[in-house]
Amino acid sequence: MRVDIPNLDGNSRIYAVFGDPIHQIQTPSLINPIFAAAELNIYAVPFLISAEHFTAAWDTFSAIPNLCGISTTIPHKVAAAKRCSTLTPTAKAVGAVNCVQRGEDGQMNGALFDGVGFVEGLGQAKSRLRGARALIVGAGGAGRAIAFALAEEGVGKIDLMDLSPESVAFTSDMVNSYRGEECARAADGSAGWDYDIVINASPIGVKGDSIFPMPAAVIRPEMLIADIASLRSETPLLRAAKGAGATVSDGNDMLLAQIRLMAGFAAGLPAGTAL
């Protein structure tokens, strides 16, 4: 059976979604209806791009005139920021992007909406942030964005775990510089798991066989557990959190809260303008 895409033609523009893994990505299914409702001839298409092939893919796609932009997810947010021609203030401070706009002049302009997406995606649970003790596992692009947003919201303490000491150091320095005090630091779990908020900002749960470092038995009902890796299916962390009666948030909450900002930027509007 042939299925036609009504407005796919020689004038169509492509919004590429780069990630590895890519099977869990929800961006195309959420953003394409927004483009269609605005009567824009733009299509978001997912591409499985490994870290090894990121540079080659970036150079190829950025040279295509009918590319309107690139959405970057794990593990490309930091690498993409380094290749952008311009960065929004938040993207520059964090050193990561999740949405790239290709200008008519070929410039690749990067923005980062993960932080605002995470905070707004919490809904009523946003009120728990001020003064809270938080653990973030994953200090890559998404983890950095979330750490910066938590610092803006007045979180009291941010502990960081990542396989890369350099990523932890960058993120803690960024947060502490912004706040003018030492509220972020490296952690390894040896001091226990006494947190109000625990966030998985790593691929644990959707890629490989790594196990989330916090034991399920220490999850308490009064905790807020967020797992941005959880998109198409529930991760072990969220299953354990729900079983313990904790408040939970997944990657769809974060994505839904920022998707119209991403659509606007991809369509050529100024960063922060929703479509």
Side-chain angles (χ1 to χ4, degrees):
M1 180 179 70
R2 177 180 175 182
V3 178
D4 291 327
I5 302 175
N7 65 333
L8 182 63
D9 55 31
N11 295 312
S12 298
R13 291 185 292 160
I14 300 300
Y15 182 52
V17 183
F18 282 11
D20 181 16
I22 201 70
H23 63 85
Q24 81 287 359
I25 295 303
Q26 298 281 58
T27 301
S29 63
L30 293 174
I31 206 168
N32 280 327
I34 298 174
F35 292 144
E39 299 184 344
L40 295 174
N41 196 355
I42 299 174
Y43 285 94
V45 181
F47 293 90
L48 177 59
I49 306 293
S50 68
E52 176 187 4
H53 295 116
F54 173 78
T55 298
W58 178 277
D59 290 345
T60 299
F61 276 76
S62 63
I64 299 174
N66 68 322
L67 182 91
C68 70
I70 299 173
S71 172
T72 54
T73 185
I74 292 171
H76 303 309
K77 297 181 181 184
V78 173
K82 295 176 181 177
R83 304 300 302 274
C84 285
S85 307
T86 68
L87 296 171
T88 61
T90 299
K92 186 174 182 179
V94 176
V97 299
N98 74 323
C99 191
V100 180
Q101 177 194 87
R102 187 185 189 277
E104 292 184 3
D105 57 1
Q107 280 203 147
M108 302 295 278
N109 308 304
L112 183 63
F113 305 118
D114 276 343
V116 64
F118 178 80
V119 169
E120 296 305 320
L122 293 176
Q124 292 184 345
K126 177 182 174 180
S127 63
R128 300 188 184 195
L129 298 180
R130 184 162 296 277
R133 300 159 299 167
L135 169 69
I136 301 176
V137 176
R144 293 179 185 182
I146 292 170
F148 191 77
L150 294 185
E152 290 183 310
E153 294 294 323
V155 164
K157 180 178 82 167
I158 302 174
D159 282 0
L160 300 160
M161 290 186 184
D162 194 281
L163 294 176
S164 167
E166 293 79 14
S167 293
V168 170
F170 179 96
T171 306
S172 58
D173 288 348
M174 172 194 68
V175 168
N176 294 337
S177 176
Y178 170 77
R179 286 280 290 267
E181 60 178 330
E182 189 169 347
C183 67
R185 62 171 189 171
D188 60 11
S190 60
W193 305 93
D194 188 18
Y195 297 102
D196 304 304
I197 302 169
V198 176
I199 302 163
N200 179 31
S202 78
I204 295 173
V206 297
K207 183 179 181 180
D209 54 5
S210 297
I211 298 174
F212 196 77
M214 184 179 71
V218 304
I219 300 176
R220 306 184 307 277
E222 62 270 23
M223 283 180 164
L224 167 62
I225 307 293
D227 192 342
I228 68 168
S230 180
L231 287 163
R232 288 192 178 275
S233 60
E234 194 173 72
T235 60
L237 174 62
L238 284 190
R239 280 197 296 273
K242 288 180 179 180
T247 300
V248 299
S249 178
D250 64 17
N252 290 301
D253 294 332
M254 184 174 84
L255 183 56
L256 283 169
Q258 63 174 307
I259 194 70
R260 290 191 176 276
L261 295 177
M262 296 172 66
F265 196 56
L269 301 177
T273 306
L275 185 62

